[in-house]
Amino acid sequence: MNETPSPLALAAQGKAPEVTVSKDMIKRGFFVAPVLMLVAGVVWGLSGMWSAGVGIALVLANFGLAAALISWAAPISLALMMGVSLFGYLIRLGLLAVAIFLLRDVSWINLPALGVTIIVTHLGLL
């Protein structure tokens, strides 16, 4: 009658690699930010440059929040970590959508520059 617990009920052991990976992506994002902002400035002007900066900040905040959520859940249980990964993704996607919705009417925001920057930065840093 000595049952072993489900592997999903166990906590992850050791240091969470998600934090290390996210810190590296954020660090690389700071190196790439001036280049992306310069390119956006050339293509879309000053509003494009500032929009690219906002887009980069949103992406880096998204990566940081993802790492924080996963590193919080992993020591508790793997099942919780999987749930936090899935629903955290949906919540973070919703937060990005809300941020873009709130920024769409700001006079100095260029939506094409913001959108392209968010997409390129997400894909480039991953």
Side-chain angles (χ1 to χ4, degrees):
M1 302 276 184
N2 190 5
E3 293 183 29
T4 59
S6 166
L8 294 179
L10 300 174
Q13 302 298 318
K15 187 177 177 186
E18 297 83 9
V19 175
T20 306
V21 170
S22 290
K23 282 182 182 179
D24 185 57
M25 287 192 298
I26 291 169
K27 182 174 63 173
R28 290 173 193 259
F30 282 120
F31 288 125
V32 172
V35 175
L36 288 175
M37 290 176 70
L38 183 64
V39 169
V42 168
V43 175
W44 289 288
L46 195 56
S47 66
M49 182 185 76
W50 290 117
S51 299
V54 170
I56 294 165
L58 288 172
V59 170
L60 298 181
N62 187 19
F63 287 155
L65 183 57
L69 288 171
I70 292 172
S71 66
W72 166 78
I76 297 171
S77 79
L78 295 177
L80 179 63
M81 184 185 72
M82 286 186 261
V84 165
S85 295
L86 173 63
F87 292 107
Y89 171 75
L90 296 175
I91 291 168
R92 290 181 296 108
L93 189 62
L95 288 173
L96 276 175
V98 167
I100 293 168
F101 179 77
L102 293 174
L103 291 170
R104 70 179 178 176
D105 292 328
V106 176
S107 63
W108 53 269
I109 290 290
N110 182 307
L111 283 179
L114 180 66
V116 167
T117 302
I118 289 173
I119 292 168
V120 167
T121 307
H122 263 110
L123 294 176
L125 291 176
L126 286 176

